[in-house]
Amino acid sequence: VEQLFSDLTSLLRDERLAATADSRFHRLDLVERLLEGAQAKLPSDPGLAEELARLATAVAGHLADLDESREGRARAACWLAHALRIAGDLDGAERALSEATLYAGYSDEQAELCRALALLRWEQGRMEEARSLLEHAGELWAGEESPHEQGACQVLQALLSVEEGKARDAVRLLREGLPVLIDPWLTVYGGLALALGLAEKGQAKRARQQRGESERLVPLAPPAAQLFALHLEARIALTLGEHAAAGAMLEDLRREALERRWLPEAALATLDLARLDIERGWKPKAAQTRLAELEVIFAGPEPLEGLIRSLREFPERIAGGESTQDFTPALAASLSRLLRLRGIRGGALPFA
């Protein structure tokens, strides 16, 4: 299989698809090897992951055994959807998953489809659908007696809860799901989410211990996914009252988001920095400067006016008696969902 994989992928790119007609490539284990290759390239190289998934689709289409062909095409369509979603082509991902529904007959294939569709719905801001799909995928994996896949669905549900401003509610799912994971990067993000949930529950010592265990692995994560981890780390530090560390991380996150023109990340970092200013007792001048910069860089998108108004009113809401620790995650969740629903995207969810 490794030789066949090498023979196929070493061809010129415009020759590879036609080469799949050669009968020596018509093996289900080659389909699986191509999909392993696609998985390994995400989230850092979604273009190559897409190509490998399309090659897997072509090979699966040539398999003589109809069950093997159907299985291969179902799984290939799911991995193609992951690659397209991470590359920013949500419509293409939707089409790939519609294709997958034609072939996903067995429960493990349906579970893969549900997970891929859940991540797409999450990207689209359709959070209730995403949660239901992840729950269903977990149930299907439980029926297949695949605890690591079931655990992955639980951790993804927990990370969804964190984005919804409910890190405390994520603790139980993380405690159940993390010990059985085999996905190293999901383990990193889940561990940081657990530290955040513990911090928000007032368990500072346990939060710091969990953060320390997870932070050691962050530098090993794909560069394309490290901003996701940085935001979790910044929120942990902010919740624990580590103002200097939180400020440095949030400024790094905001600067990177502005350079990449990622409005969601820039807006949320701006919000967290405003919370930090309030907790430090600083005057609002720095927050006003950040908002002005945000308005200039992202002038144009329809939701920006409401977003800026929410950020501008944030200090007044806190002055009126709202708790920064309770109100900030709720406002962040509302803004994040609004931007997703309006199709304004930042960094893709680094999961597959």
Side-chain angles (χ1 to χ4, degrees), residues 3-304:
Q3 186 62 54
L4 290 172
F5 178 82
S6 177
D7 289 349
L8 184 58
T9 56
S10 63
L11 295 171
L12 295 174
R13 285 197 168 188
D14 57 0
E15 297 176 352
R16 294 173 189 171
L17 202 60
T20 61
D22 188 329
S23 60
R24 69 192 181 99
F25 292 121
H26 300 170
R27 295 173 53 163
L28 181 61
D29 49 8
L30 178 59
V31 174
E32 293 167 352
R33 178 64 184 88
L34 287 163
L35 295 180
E36 287 173 7
Q39 181 178 6
K41 294 300 177 182
L42 293 175
S44 299
D45 193 346
L48 182 51
E50 176 188 345
E51 183 183 0
L52 291 171
R54 291 193 186 280
L55 288 173
T57 300
V59 172
H62 287 297
L63 297 180
D65 186 294
L66 292 180
D67 280 345
E68 289 187 352
S69 178
R70 178 197 50 72
E71 176 189 347
R73 294 183 73 170
R75 296 193 60 232
C78 289
W79 283 101
L80 177 60
H82 286 306
L84 291 169
R85 173 183 59 78
I86 290 174
D89 184 0
L90 302 193
D91 290 339
E94 191 84 57
R95 288 192 294 272
L97 292 175
S98 294
E99 179 85 1
T101 62
L102 301 175
Y103 301 108
Y106 295 108
S107 58
D108 56 342
E109 297 152 13
Q110 292 168 3
E112 273 198 75
L113 171 59
C114 283
R115 174 169 165 169
L117 186 56
L119 291 170
L120 178 59
R121 294 292 178 258
W122 184 348
E123 291 272 18
Q124 295 167 330
R126 296 159 63 174
M127 309 305 236
E128 291 83 2
E129 291 178 62
R131 183 177 301 282
S132 294
L133 285 162
L134 286 171
E135 289 175 354
H136 186 51
E139 291 166 359
L140 290 170
W141 284 123
E144 290 291 311
E145 297 184 354
S146 183
H148 59 282
E149 294 288 3
Q150 183 183 4
C153 292
Q154 289 178 304
V155 171
L156 287 171
Q157 288 178 62
L159 290 167
L160 180 63
S161 292
V162 170
E163 181 164 317
E164 292 178 311
K166 302 172 183 176
R168 296 181 186 88
D169 298 344
V171 170
R172 179 188 61 80
L173 283 169
L174 290 165
R175 282 175 169 160
E176 291 177 3
L178 279 171
V180 296
L181 282 190
I182 58 174
D183 182 325
W185 314 135
L186 194 53
T187 301
V188 173
Y189 310 132
L192 291 173
L194 177 56
L196 177 60
L198 293 169
E200 290 195 1
K201 288 166 76 74
Q203 300 177 29
K205 182 178 179 180
R206 297 177 69 182
R208 288 189 174 94
Q209 180 182 357
Q210 178 62 50
R211 177 182 62 182
E213 293 173 2
S214 299
E215 278 186 329
R216 288 194 294 272
L217 300 174
V218 171
L220 303 177
Q226 288 186 8
L227 275 187
F228 187 91
L230 180 61
H231 196 196
L232 286 172
E233 291 176 280
R235 288 182 60 189
I236 295 165
L238 186 56
T239 304
L240 291 172
E242 299 168 355
H243 291 160
M249 286 187 280
L250 288 168
E251 289 290 1
D252 286 346
L253 177 62
R254 185 173 183 275
R255 183 168 54 253
E256 184 76 15
L258 291 175
E259 288 177 1
R260 298 191 187 196
R261 300 188 66 80
W262 285 354
L263 177 54
E265 285 81 357
L268 295 180
T270 300
L271 173 63
D272 282 332
L273 282 165
R275 168 186 169 182
L276 181 58
D277 289 347
I278 291 168
E279 293 184 359
R280 283 170 159 173
W282 289 7
K283 293 182 179 179
K285 184 177 179 180
Q288 292 167 1
T289 301
R290 294 187 205 105
L291 279 176
E293 186 179 19
L294 206 65
E295 286 183 280
V296 170
I297 292 176
F298 295 104
E302 179 188 346
L304 187 57

